[in-house]
Amino acid sequence: MRGLLAMLTRIDLPAFLAWGGLVIFGLAAVYSCTVDYQAADEIVASTVPRAVYHGQFIWALLGGLVMLLTLAVPNRYFETFAYLFYALSLVLLVLVLLVGAEAGGGRRWLGFGGLSVQPSELAKVAFVFALARFLSSRTNRSPLILVLGAVLITLPPAVLVAREPDLGTSLVFVALSVPMLFFAGVPARLLFALASPAISAWFQVTSTSPNSTPIATVAPPAAAMRRRPRPARAARRRLAQPHAATL
């Protein structure tokens, strides 16, 4: 009983309430898609089977159970195996590029029997563990050393995920590293000075990849935007030219 109470005291209440609110909102949204609705004078049947809602509900329960089991694990184990977990996530990301299931022009999933796993999601957790261990063990180092170490930890998963291609998820690793560096004691001005050119260079590199999608469309040249003469006006000009010559 004491162990259970001690485990419950480790719950971050604001984070737990935010998680619970998102789960309830998501389940309500999925359930609403399975209910028939009335349009005008007729009832339109839903095209989403109720089994979709049941599946999401089961996954939510399993997620809550995994969360409780994670709380039962002492934090020292996460610190001890952080780098191992990080290395395994990189191996899975490489396997995705080699033997992953291709869908929508990219490879993002690994199939294990009847279960599909997206290694990039596991890599996010492993990346946080690895970077947290690196930053916590080097509190007396200079901010520049912390930034360089964080870059070396951030680049491998970010590059591998971008090659799937999944630019949005690859940028998540960069977004996670910035606040972690800030709370580790790196000055905000240094982070801003390094982040701005780094993000610009990252967009430039990934936008030139043959598998990447454009972030924004390029504006047409000014010559193409000039107003072309209307057909009727052009025809009147052609008819008026012979008369002007005879006069």
Side-chain angles (χ1 to χ4, degrees):
M1 188 66 180
R2 292 181 179 179
L4 179 60
L5 293 176
M7 181 181 64
L8 293 178
T9 55
R10 295 174 56 189
I11 295 179
D12 188 343
L13 187 58
F16 176 78
L17 293 177
W19 172 82
L22 289 174
V23 169
I24 294 174
F25 180 81
L27 290 176
V30 174
Y31 180 79
S32 65
C33 296
T34 65
V35 178
D36 301 339
Y37 62 93
Q38 185 173 0
D41 296 333
E42 61 179 352
I43 297 179
V44 180
S46 174
T47 58
V48 180
R50 190 63 59 86
V52 175
Y53 166 75
H54 294 159
Q56 294 296 320
F57 185 79
I58 292 175
W59 280 112
L61 292 179
L62 291 176
L65 179 61
V66 171
M67 180 188 66
L68 293 177
L69 293 176
T70 304
L71 290 174
V73 180
N75 291 334
R76 64 178 182 273
Y77 290 107
F78 294 118
E79 182 179 2
T80 302
F81 297 103
Y83 290 147
L84 178 61
F85 190 21
Y86 174 78
L88 291 176
S89 68
L90 295 182
V91 172
L92 292 177
L93 291 176
V94 173
L95 289 177
V96 168
L97 298 178
L98 298 177
V99 298
E102 186 172 356
R107 297 178 181 270
R108 300 182 179 93
W109 298 85
L110 281 178
F112 298 95
L115 181 64
S116 296
V117 179
Q118 191 172 7
S120 59
E121 299 300 324
L122 300 176
K124 294 177 186 177
V125 181
F127 166 76
V128 171
F129 285 160
L131 185 57
R133 177 176 176 178
F134 170 78
L135 295 176
S136 62
S137 60
R138 287 164 174 78
T139 54
N140 296 326
R141 299 294 181 90
S142 65
L144 188 58
I145 296 298
L146 295 179
V147 171
L148 292 177
V151 170
L152 294 178
I153 296 176
T154 305
L155 279 181
V159 171
L160 291 174
V161 173
R163 295 295 301 171
E164 293 181 1
D166 191 352
L167 177 61
T169 302
S170 66
L171 291 177
V172 170
F173 294 97
V174 180
L176 289 173
S177 63
V178 173
M180 294 181 69
L181 285 169
F182 176 76
F183 286 109
V186 178
R189 61 181 181 275
L190 178 60
L191 292 176
F192 181 78
L194 296 175
S196 299
I199 294 176
S200 300
W202 182 258
F203 273 108
Q204 181 66 27
V205 171
T206 54
S207 62
T208 57
S209 175
N211 295 325
S212 63
T213 55
I215 303 300
T217 57
V218 180
M225 298 178 62
R226 294 175 182 175
R227 182 178 298 178
R228 297 180 179 179
R230 297 179 180 178
R233 183 179 300 177
R236 288 196 298 268
R237 290 179 179 178
R238 288 196 298 269
L239 292 175
Q241 288 176 358
H243 297 284
T246 56
L247 294 176

